Amino acid sequence: MRRNVRLGIPLGLALFTLASGAAAERPSETSARLMAQANAAVDEGRLADARDLWMAVWKVERSQVAACNLGALSYRLGEAPAAVRWLSLCKELMRAPRTARERELYESRLADLARARQLVGELRVVAPAGAAVTIDGEPVELEGGAPVPVLPGRHEVRASSNGRTAVAEVEVARGRTREVTLAFAAPSAEASAAGGAGAAGGVGAAGGVGAAGGPDAAREPGGPRPLPSPPRPGPRPDVIVGGVGLSATLAALGGVMMMAVEKKEAAGRAATRTAGPSGCFRLSWPMCRDSASAYDDMRAFRTVGIAAFAAGGAVLGATLTYALVPRGRAELEVSAGGLAVTGVF
């Protein structure tokens, strides 16, 4: 997959030291030194340099912490396919959590993987044994038939071996897996194609493309400090419709309550007038009790109406914010049980 190589001075010094002066240095010592430099690069905001340093750690010892940090940094650099690949490996290498801290990290990595999967599609490539496979010109390794994460869009898949080539183009949607089967043309077909006949020669997408399951991706907080996440997918229409509908319902409830307030207030005044010029001097009079009850109902209806208007306005504001305002991690959930807004706007 593509990888932006942006090596800074710390990485250059680290690799120089590793190549020249550390012949007798044990792998654990080399890894510890590179890890310290990678964490320092994260602290300074040099995420590309930090990822390159973690790649150097991975080449020294293929550890879970290196895979997890490579996935986390790739995700924050906006390279979702690489993030999916590394975080999937991170998930495979992680041991079962034994402490509360390990469980928290484990759940965080799984959540990051799920978010990363929302940003990519996958290609499951079936190619002749021993063939070199590229996607959009970039070499890829087919590991045990596992799908290859790619950005949504159109991609060219090519298999080559001993001068023979098979090519297929496929459209991949976000969150979907497409299968491509590449097969080399028979020698007779290749000879006729070389004579100018045309189409099949190098293109052998024999099994075509099929749709299947879902994607695989993730991210992992690998540095000592929290880092910004890339943009999330756009707002969901069903959430927006639900928020507007709930807001309208609350506003209608508030209007009904205010109409009831007016009626109860009029009933209270009418009952007071029937008590005579002195009004409700004696509260024990029946008309005075009716007046007091009407005013109590009026106050209750007014409270409910104001609360309904306020809740409806809050729901509408949250819905508009969800739909229109750029955000990081934000979620608006509307259900029969109420409204929940979580995240950072």
Side-chain angles (χ1 to χ4, degrees):
M1 307 304 298
R2 291 188 180 86
R3 189 166 68 88
N4 295 330
V5 179
R6 220 179 61 200
L7 302 179
I9 294 176
L11 177 58
L13 292 176
L15 296 180
F16 176 80
T17 303
L18 177 62
S20 61
E25 193 174 32
R26 294 196 303 271
S28 59
E29 295 175 348
T30 302
S31 299
R33 177 171 49 79
L34 291 171
M35 288 178 189
Q37 292 176 346
N39 288 332
V42 170
D43 284 339
E44 296 169 5
R46 297 182 290 108
L47 302 187
D49 291 347
R51 185 183 58 181
D52 290 326
L53 284 161
W54 278 113
M55 181 61 73
V57 174
W58 174 259
K59 292 177 180 178
V60 174
E61 354 180 284
R62 301 198 165 196
S63 62
Q64 170 231 321
V65 66
C68 293
N69 279 280
L70 283 166
L73 291 166
S74 296
Y75 183 73
R76 288 167 174 80
L77 288 167
E79 298 181 10
V84 172
R85 183 165 57 87
W86 283 110
L87 286 171
S88 298
L89 182 59
C90 166
K91 179 182 175 182
E92 294 176 8
L93 295 175
M94 277 191 300
R95 70 181 186 187
R98 300 176 183 175
T99 65
R101 175 59 179 164
E102 288 182 355
R103 189 174 299 106
E104 179 183 355
L105 290 173
Y106 181 82
E107 293 173 354
S108 173
R109 287 162 185 161
L110 293 183
D112 291 339
L113 178 58
R115 293 190 190 99
R117 284 176 173 170
Q118 296 176 5
L119 302 177
V120 300
E122 288 183 330
L123 280 174
R124 192 181 302 276
V125 182
V126 180
V133 178
T134 64
I135 297 178
D136 299 328
E138 294 291 330
V140 296
E141 294 183 7
L142 306 180
E143 301 174 353
V148 180
V150 295
L151 291 174
R154 193 163 189 82
H155 299 275
E156 181 188 81
V157 186
R158 181 183 298 266
S160 303
S161 178
N162 297 325
R164 295 186 296 173
T165 303
V167 182
E169 289 192 358
V170 59
E171 187 80 24
V172 183
R174 176 180 295 173
R176 302 290 295 175
T177 298
R178 304 295 299 272
E179 183 173 293
V180 180
T181 301
L182 299 172
F184 297 132
S188 59
E190 290 180 350
S192 62
V203 181
V209 184
D216 213 11
R219 168 211 94 179
E220 155 65 26
R225 65 169 60 173
L227 299 169
S229 297
R232 296 173 54 125
R236 291 165 42 191
D238 58 325
V239 173
I240 297 174
V241 172
V244 172
L246 179 59
S247 175
T249 300
L250 291 170
L253 175 62
V256 171
M257 290 295 102
M258 289 307 175
M259 292 173 61
V261 166
E262 293 182 1
K263 292 182 179 180
K264 288 296 182 180
E265 186 175 14
R269 284 197 300 265
T272 301
R273 283 196 299 269
T274 60
S278 60
C280 285
F281 180 72
R282 296 179 181 276
L283 295 179
S284 59
W285 292 348
M287 68 285 293
C288 292
R289 287 198 298 270
D290 292 343
S291 176
S293 176
Y295 279 115
D296 287 342
D297 291 343
M298 178 195 72
R299 285 189 286 270
F301 290 157
R302 179 181 290 135
T303 300
V304 174
I306 292 173
F309 280 135
V315 171
L316 181 60
T319 302
L320 292 176
T321 300
Y322 173 81
L324 302 176
V325 176
R327 66 204 189 283
R329 300 179 182 176
E331 202 66 36
L332 175 66
E333 295 292 339
V334 180
S335 64
L339 171 75
V341 181
T342 60
V344 180
F345 287 82

